Amino acid sequence: MLLIPAIDLKDGHCVRLKQGDMHQSTTFGEDPALMARRWVDLGARRLHLVDLNGAFAGHPKNEQAIRSILKEVGGEIDVQLGGGIRDLDTIERYLDAGLRYVIIGTAAVKNPGFLQDACTGFGGHIIVGLDAKDGKVATDGWSKLTRHEVVDLGKKFQDYGVESIIYTDIGRDGMLSGINIEATVKLAQALTIPVIASGGLSKLSDIEALCAVEGEGVEGVICGRAIYTGDLDFEAAQIRADELNG
C-alpha cells in the first residue's frame, strides 16, 4: 500500500484546501522542496503534487516550485503531478524535467481525445484523476457536477491505456471524515488497472481498512491534511501498512 503525501501548491507555497475551495486554504510551508524532502526522509515512496493555481487557470502556474521539488527528490522517488495540464507539450516538458506521472482530470472528461493522444504518446506515464460526489464526476476544480458515472468513465479511460486512476470523494476531501472505502472498492473491482484512494484520510484505522482491500485493486492513498495537522503520523502509518501487506 503506497501512502502518497500530497503537496498542494498555491502561489509557490504548500497549502491545504477544504473541499477544493481556494478561499479556504491553510499554508503549511513556504518551501515546497523542503517539504518534499521531509516526506521522503520519513519513508515516502511517491509524492503527489497539485498545481492549484494551474487547475483553476487551465495552464501551469507553479512550475518553478514543481521544478525545485523534482531537483530535490526526483531522482529518489516517483513524483506525480496534476493541475492545469491541458496539452501534450506541457506533459512532455514535465516528464523531461523528471516527473514520473502526469495526472489529467478535467481535461480527461471534457476532451477525451486529448487523453487518448496523451496515452498514445506517453504510455505508462498518464494517470486520470476522477473527482466525484455521490457517484457523479465533477470537473473544473469541483465546481461543476456532470452526469457521468465514475465507473463508466473509469472503464472508458482504462481502455485508452491510462496507468491508474485516482478517485477522490470531494464531499470528504480536507474534512478528515474518513476515506469512502465502499465507493473506492466499487471502482477498483470494476477495473483491471489500479485505483488510488483520495479524500478524507484522517487516522490509522483508515490505512488499515485500505490495506484490507488492497487485493481488490486499491494501490495506494493520497495523504493530505491529516499528515500536516498531525492527526496521522505518516512514518508510523507507512510502517503499519507494510506490516499488514508485507
Side-chain angles (χ1 to χ4, degrees), residues 39-227:
W39 297 126
V40 172
D41 288 349
L42 287 174
R45 293 162 201 160
R46 189 188 295 190
L47 289 179
H48 176 79
L49 312 184
V50 182
D51 182 345
L52 291 171
N53 303 101
F56 284 86
H59 54 89
K61 283 287 191 177
N62 284 283
E63 194 162 343
Q64 186 176 344
I66 292 159
R67 286 180 177 273
S68 72
I69 290 171
L70 291 172
K71 188 176 179 182
E72 178 68 32
V73 302
E76 298 172 52
I77 63 166
D78 291 339
V79 181
Q80 61 192 41
L81 166 72
I85 298 169
R86 305 280 196 273
D87 61 76
L88 299 178
D89 287 342
T90 300
I91 294 174
E92 186 171 25
R93 192 167 72 246
Y94 275 134
L95 293 179
D96 286 346
L99 201 70
R100 181 68 178 88
Y101 300 107
V102 167
I103 303 161
I104 301 175
T106 292
V109 181
K110 290 188 161 185
N111 187 4
F114 163 60
L115 178 63
Q116 277 188 300
D117 290 344
C119 289
T120 300
F122 307 101
H125 295 281
I126 306 300
I127 294 174
V128 163
L130 289 180
D131 307 326
K133 189 173 184 180
D134 301 325
K136 303 290 187 183
V137 173
T139 62
D140 299 278
W142 305 350
S143 62
K144 297 177 183 175
L145 206 58
T146 72
R147 286 175 293 192
H148 295 295
E149 292 283 345
V150 172
V151 170
D152 292 342
L153 277 185
K155 288 179 177 177
K156 178 181 177 181
F157 297 154
Q158 174 178 275
D159 291 342
Y160 288 177
V162 302
E163 185 71 13
S164 57
I165 287 176
I166 296 172
Y167 173 71
T168 303
D169 184 323
I170 63 177
R172 300 187 182 215
D173 188 77
M175 303 303 289
L176 301 177
S177 56
I179 294 280
N180 189 336
I181 301 279
E182 185 181 353
T184 304
V185 169
K186 181 183 176 184
L187 177 60
Q189 288 175 333
L191 305 176
T192 57
I193 57 174
V195 171
I196 296 170
S198 175
L201 178 70
S202 62
K203 52 192 179 298
L204 191 59
S205 60
D206 292 329
I207 300 295
E208 293 170 340
L210 284 166
C211 286
V213 297
E214 187 171 16
E216 303 292 346
V218 181
E219 176 185 47
V221 57
I222 307 295
C223 305
R225 180 172 290 272
I227 61 171

